[in-house]
């Protein structure tokens, strides 16, 4: 379209399509015709998906100026200069008028390029960043930040980032789920008897997602003679350890690792009974929204942004995440499996909330309003960079004090032995 606004969408991430990539592609595919997106990414899977949707793509392997590896902190000046120069080239080539930085890493080189070209930008954070990364990535000098949950925003706001330059926009899920047309049976597919209960859990098989806690909860249920199956959708480095845990607990027959699935909604809309999360931390909880749209009751820990998705005993069950998680989780699962009225009520309420608050349309509308807001502002009137750089100083001092006290305490204990 002749009057479309060229938008540079910069995405950095691993070479897969998961939560943040899905949300980014949903946004790019549904943007109003006023915006003409160009995706610049190091993610080949995402680049391919965007090209298939007719979106202009610039794919390249980013040289990261600041390492995220805590054991090898470094700053690569040449990589920083190269990426910044490339950003300026793309801005000029596509006549970019607005930049969407999708994750904190590209801030290293894109923020400076945007300032040099006098182009407005916003930074979209899909997870909380630790103090080191908030400082080295330059998040405090970002002219505008969008967080996927209030939980993600807390550290920045506590360090003095201006509230008027930050918005929370929850992720959105397509409204295409239709449980009335479900023809897929998990029980039939996995050879589970129709009268047996099935719990499902979804995510990357990593420590943070807490699948080990869900497996332990299932073992607690079996010890209480409440037998049910657990279907785990996803893959990752902990798969072997989780299978070993299941074997040690004698649950091989009741645990089903089905790997990554291209259509998770199909599984959630099937004949499973409860969706469970064992996450130790979570920025938002996109799969919980998918479960809500599938009218599936959910049980999840009250960590991170999950409390913004699930209202305890209204749209699901929240539990306290601690060392006692497995037996507590088992208790909640048994409760929902035995109380079908409560399960249906929670699932229905969650469905209504998801349909009004967590859709792609709602996410798109909010993001487009923020785009327009940035376009109407003068980038040269951004907040003082020096003042912004000083914001984390109290946090740095507090961190140093905690480290010093910890070292002092350890030394004192050692001297008394």
């Amino acid at each position: 379209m002749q009057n479309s606004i060229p938008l540079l969408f910069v995405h950095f991430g691993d070479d897969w399509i998961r939560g943040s990539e899905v949300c980014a592609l949903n946004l790019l595919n549904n943007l109003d015709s006023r915006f003409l997106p160009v995706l610049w990414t190091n993610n080949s899977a995402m680049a391919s998906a965007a090209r298939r949707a007719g979106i202009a793509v610039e794919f390249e392997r980013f040289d990261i100026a600041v390492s995220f590896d805590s054991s090898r902190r470094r700053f690569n000046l040449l990589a920083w200069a190269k990426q910044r120069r490339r950003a300026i080239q793309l801005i000029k080539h596509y006549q970019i008028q607005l930049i969407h930085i999708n994750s904190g890493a590209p801030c290293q080189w894109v923020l400076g390029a945007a300032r040099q070209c006098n182009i407005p930008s916003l930074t979209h954070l899909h997870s909380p960043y630790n103090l080191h990364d908030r400082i080295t990535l330059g998040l405090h000098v970002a002219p505008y930040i969008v967080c996927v949950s209030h939980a993600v925003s807390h550290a920045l706001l506590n360090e003095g980032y201006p509230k008027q330059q930050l918005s929370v926009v929850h992720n959105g899920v397509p409204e295409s789920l239709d449980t009335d047309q479900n023809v897929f049976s998990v029980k039939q597919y996995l050879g589970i008897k129709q009268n047996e209960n099935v719990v499902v859990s979804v995510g990357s098989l990593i420590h943070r997602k807490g699948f080990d806690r869900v497996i332990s909860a299932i073992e607690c249920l079996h010890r209480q003679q409440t037998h049910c199956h657990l279907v785990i959708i996803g893959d990752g480095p902990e798969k072997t350890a989780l299978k070993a845990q299941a074997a040690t607990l004698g649950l091989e027959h009741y645990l089903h690792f089905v790997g990554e699935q291209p259509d998770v909604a199909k599984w959630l809309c099937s004949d499973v009974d409860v969706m469970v999360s064992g996450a130790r931390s979570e920025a938002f909880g996109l799969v919980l929204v998918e479960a809500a749209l599938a009218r599936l009751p959910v049980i999840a820990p009250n960590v991170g942004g999950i409390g913004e998705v699930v209202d305890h005993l209204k749209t699901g069950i929240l539990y306290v995440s601690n060392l006692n998680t497995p037996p507590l989780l088992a208790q909640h699962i048994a409760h929902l499996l035995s109380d079908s009225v409560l399960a249906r009520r929670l699932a229905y309420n969650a469905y209504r909330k998801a349909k009004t608050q967590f859709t792609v349309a709602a996410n798109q509308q909010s993001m487009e309003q923020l785009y327009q807001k940035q376009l109407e502002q003068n980038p040269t009137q951004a907040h003082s960079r020096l003042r912004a750089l000083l914001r984390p100083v109290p946090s740095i001092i507090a961190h140093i004090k905690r480290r010093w006290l910890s070292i002092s305490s350890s030394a004192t204990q050692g001297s008394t032995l």
Side-chain angles (χ1 to χ4, degrees), residues 241-254:
L242 293 172
K243 283 190 171 183
Q245 179 189 4
T248 300
L249 296 175
L251 295 175
E252 303 103 311
H253 174 70
Y254 293 96

Side-chain angles (χ1 to χ4, degrees), residues 316-336:
I317 292 179
L318 292 177
Y319 62 88
V320 177
S321 178
N322 55 31
L323 295 176
N324 196 43
T325 287
L328 182 62
L329 184 51
Q331 178 183 336
H332 290 311
I333 294 173
H335 186 187
L336 278 190

Side-chain angles (χ1 to χ4, degrees), residues 181-186 189 266-267 269-271:
Q181 295 182 10
N182 172 51
V183 294
F184 178 66
S185 168
V186 165
Y189 181 79
K266 180 180 74 172
W267 290 72
C269 289
S270 67
D271 49 356

Side-chain angles (χ1 to χ4, degrees), residues 20 23 123-129 145-158 166-172 208 281-286 288-289 302-310 353 357-358 363 367 370:
S20 63
C23 293
T123 299
H124 198 172
L125 302 183
H126 295 262
S127 63
Y129 288 76
I145 291 179
V146 181
C147 299
V148 298
S149 67
H150 292 282
V152 171
S153 72
H154 288 161
L156 284 164
L157 293 176
N158 290 340
L166 185 146
S167 293
V168 172
V169 177
H170 291 127
N171 288 325
R208 180 173 64 84
S281 65
E282 195 73 78
F284 177 70
L286 192 67
L288 301 177
V289 178
N302 192 6
V303 297
I306 288 180
E308 299 169 42
V309 178
V310 180
K353 181 176 181 178
Q357 297 183 31
F358 304 128
N363 176 271
M367 291 304 304
L370 291 176

